[in-house]
Amino acid sequence: MDIMILTIVFIIYIFMLVAVGYYAWKKTNSSEDFMIAGKDTHPAIMALSYGATFISTAAIVGFGGVAGEYGMSVLWLAFLNIIVGIFIAFVFLGKRTRRMGHSLGSLTFPDFLGKRFNSKFIQHASGLIIFCAMPLYAAVVLIGAARFLESSLMLDFGISLFILAVIITLYVFFGGIKGVMYTDALQAVIMVAAMLFLLAFVYWMFGGITPANSALTNMVDLYPASAIAGGGTGWTTFPTAGSPFWWNLVSSTLIGVGIGVLAQPQLVVRFMTVKSDKELNRSVLIGGIFIAIMPTTAYITGALSNVYFFDELGKIAVDVVGNNIDRIIPVFINMALPEWFVYLFLLSLVAAAMSTISSQLHTQGTAFGIDICDSIVKKSKKIIDEITITRIGILIAIILALILAYSLPGSVIALGTSLFFEICAAAFLPVFLGALYWKRTTKAGAIAGILSGTFVSLFWLLFVFEKTAAGLGLCQYLFGISTLLPAAPWPYIDVMLIAVPISAIFTIVVSLLTKPPAQEVIDKSFEDIDNNKGSGTQ
């Protein structure tokens, strides 16, 4: 690899980021600008930022690695990403969130829930959950990009993590969400260009779509024995229904990530950055195309890497990378693709990581500054600068993410992503839906839903779900067994299938058993929705 060429490419890229970040900084003149971009973001910027935040190195490297190990059944996640993550999210949740958020004057997702239910406790608790849980997600995204830097540049993994963290922190720290969204849009364009070429090149390399897929299908006798034992049936077929592999794929990957996206705070807040429903409608097509290209290409490439590795080395992907599936995509790109594309793909991977992590840092910073600290300090009648304390939260967040990134084991990217999506879904999804669609949802019901979802999800992860319970070892230490429910299928059922229904039940039952919310609270929250405001171009 020509380090001189790569250096020039990265200098140009960093210069572009600095220029965009500087422009965003000049446009940031208030807390509203810093938090929700002044509610006047262009629909293309919003859609590309949403997509780039959603699809990170976790999708490209992490879930691409899962496809490399288990095959193309993970492609169903790409389908759910488009239908649920874009269409349902924008049309059925985005419009109501935008209208209600603007009516309430919300700056963050916890602030939105707190004002909707007239509860500071909900705002503080939601902010604390986000601030404590999101470092895991940020860490695995950092790991994905750092692994590719390690494979491509032979750069030390730890140094790669540190360099990425410093660059991202700078433009989030100064530019706020405008800096995040404008740089997201730039990085999204780079990502799409790289992935379109990758998809075309991979199928060209194998002689076309049909020959490539047929070659992978015919390798069924090489399918990992561990996957077959767990219910896997081949590289291009779905696992046996009810098997451990089926439960992990369906509950953790498809449902956990595919449905869990609806309650992601860093995505929800983007709906409040546009001025009308018309902008959201225009965003759907752009976001849908972006999501259709990005994960689909990563999953297909990961699965077909087995054909390449077997032809070249006589081994399947997991054997080539020593069972660390987070290295499948980076190693394949470096071995199979022309050198100039390695530069472009490295750039796109760094862009994917930076776009997602910047949004995570901004979300954590606002959770710390607006939802945890700001309200508490205001109660004590002290003057506080919201932007300053948010920036302190951003610094704390990146430090926590770095500590985790240095500490986590291999093959953790996809799992870490799923866990964060599921914890957010368990804590927030039923309450968020109730806030938007059920006026009878009470403050007590919302608190019960958030707390029950959070505690049940943590219990399930620590003591039942085998992947996490066995890995953490707390259940083994306390009870002498790796999981409290060892009989199938319980150890393989993901937390979301348990915690979300329980959270929904608590939200509904407690709301029905408690006094309905005051009419003035309902009127303020649903004013724009009931009057159908915001559907035009204002």
Side-chain angles (χ1 to χ4, degrees), residues 197-208 212 297 300-301 304-305 332-333 336-337:
F197 177 84
L198 175 61
L199 184 63
F201 186 89
V202 166
Y203 273 125
W204 171 82
M205 184 170 59
F206 294 122
T297 299
I300 289 173
T301 300
L304 290 177
S305 69
F332 171 75
I333 295 297
L337 278 292

Side-chain angles (χ1 to χ4, degrees), residues 278-301:
K278 183 176 180 180
E279 271 66 30
L280 278 177
N281 290 335
R282 292 165 62 189
S283 300
V284 171
L285 179 61
I286 299 170
I289 293 173
F290 181 88
I291 296 298
I293 293 170
M294 296 300 297
T296 300
T297 299
Y299 306 156
I300 289 173
T301 300

Side-chain angles (χ1 to χ4, degrees), residues 381-402:
K381 303 186 184 304
K382 293 181 180 178
I383 298 174
I384 189 168
D385 183 342
E386 290 177 334
I387 295 179
T388 298
I389 198 166
T390 296
R391 285 171 172 164
I392 294 173
I394 290 170
L395 293 177
I396 296 172
I398 193 62
I399 291 171
L400 292 174
L402 277 173

Side-chain angles (χ1 to χ4, degrees), residues 224-243:
S226 59
I228 293 175
T233 57
W235 302 104
T236 55
T237 54
F238 213 69
T240 303
S243 65

Side-chain angles (χ1 to χ4, degrees), residues 12 57 59 103 129 138 143 159 171 181 224 270 272 358 418 423 427 439 476 503 523 531:
I12 295 172
T57 50
S103 178
I129 291 169
I143 290 171
I159 294 175
Y171 68 79
M181 295 183 75
R270 272 152 177 74
M272 294 187 281
S358 62
S418 298
I423 290 172
K439 295 181 181 181
Q476 182 71 43
S503 174
D523 290 342
N531 294 333

Side-chain angles (χ1 to χ4, degrees), residues 88-356:
I88 292 177
F90 279 53
V91 175
F92 294 99
L93 302 186
K95 293 179 181 179
R96 297 178 77 89
T97 300
R98 187 200 66 78
R99 295 182 199 173
M100 190 178 290
H102 287 190
S103 178
L104 294 171
S106 304
L107 296 178
T108 68
F109 179 62
D111 186 34
F112 172 85
L113 293 179
K115 288 178 177 176
R116 164 64 178 87
F117 295 110
N118 194 27
S119 170
K120 284 297 183 181
F121 176 82
I122 289 178
Q123 182 181 359
H124 295 327
S126 301
L128 189 62
I129 291 169
I130 292 167
F131 189 76
C132 292
M134 192 170 275
L136 172 63
Y137 186 20
V140 298
V141 174
L142 271 175
I143 290 171
R147 285 298 179 200
F148 197 84
L149 288 175
E150 179 187 43
S151 299
S152 303
L153 305 181
M154 302 304 170
L155 191 63
D156 179 76
F157 177 69
I159 294 175
S160 301
L161 285 175
F162 183 76
I163 292 173
L164 288 169
V166 170
I167 295 172
I168 297 164
T169 302
L170 285 175
Y171 68 79
V172 180
F173 188 87
F174 291 105
I177 200 169
K178 284 192 175 184
V180 170
M181 295 183 75
Y182 291 178
T183 53
D184 281 354
L186 168 64
Q187 291 167 142
V189 173
I190 297 172
M191 292 158 63
V192 167
M195 297 304 273
L196 282 174
F197 177 84
L198 175 61
L199 184 63
F201 186 89
V202 166
Y203 273 125
W204 171 82
M205 184 170 59
F206 294 122
I209 295 175
T210 301
N213 293 345
S214 297
L216 186 63
T217 301
N218 294 334
M219 290 176 59
V220 64
D221 57 322
L222 298 172
Y223 199 61
S226 59
I228 293 175
T233 57
W235 302 104
T236 55
T237 54
F238 213 69
T240 303
S243 65
F245 181 14
W246 184 89
W247 277 110
N248 283 328
L249 176 65
V250 172
S251 67
S252 294
T253 302
L254 301 187
I255 295 177
V257 178
I259 306 298
V261 64
L262 295 176
Q264 292 300 294
Q266 73 276 19
L267 299 179
V268 171
V269 75
R270 272 152 177 74
F271 299 137
M272 294 187 281
T273 65
V274 295
K275 65 180 180 180
S276 74
D277 289 357
K278 183 176 180 180
E279 271 66 30
L280 278 177
N281 290 335
R282 292 165 62 189
S283 300
V284 171
L285 179 61
I286 299 170
I289 293 173
F290 181 88
I291 296 298
I293 293 170
M294 296 300 297
T296 300
T297 299
Y299 306 156
I300 289 173
T301 300
L304 290 177
S305 69
N306 288 282
V307 179
Y308 174 82
F309 287 134
F310 187 73
D311 289 344
E312 296 294 321
L313 305 174
K315 299 178 181 179
I316 60 174
V318 291
D319 293 332
V320 171
V321 298
N323 291 315
N324 184 354
I325 62 173
D326 294 343
R327 298 184 63 241
I328 290 177
I329 293 292
V331 172
F332 171 75
I333 295 297
N334 278 284
M335 288 184 60
L337 278 292
E339 185 174 311
W340 68 266
F341 179 75
V342 176
Y343 302 146
L344 177 60
F345 191 79
L346 176 59
L347 197 61
S348 70
L349 206 61
V350 171
M354 293 176 74
S355 59
T356 299

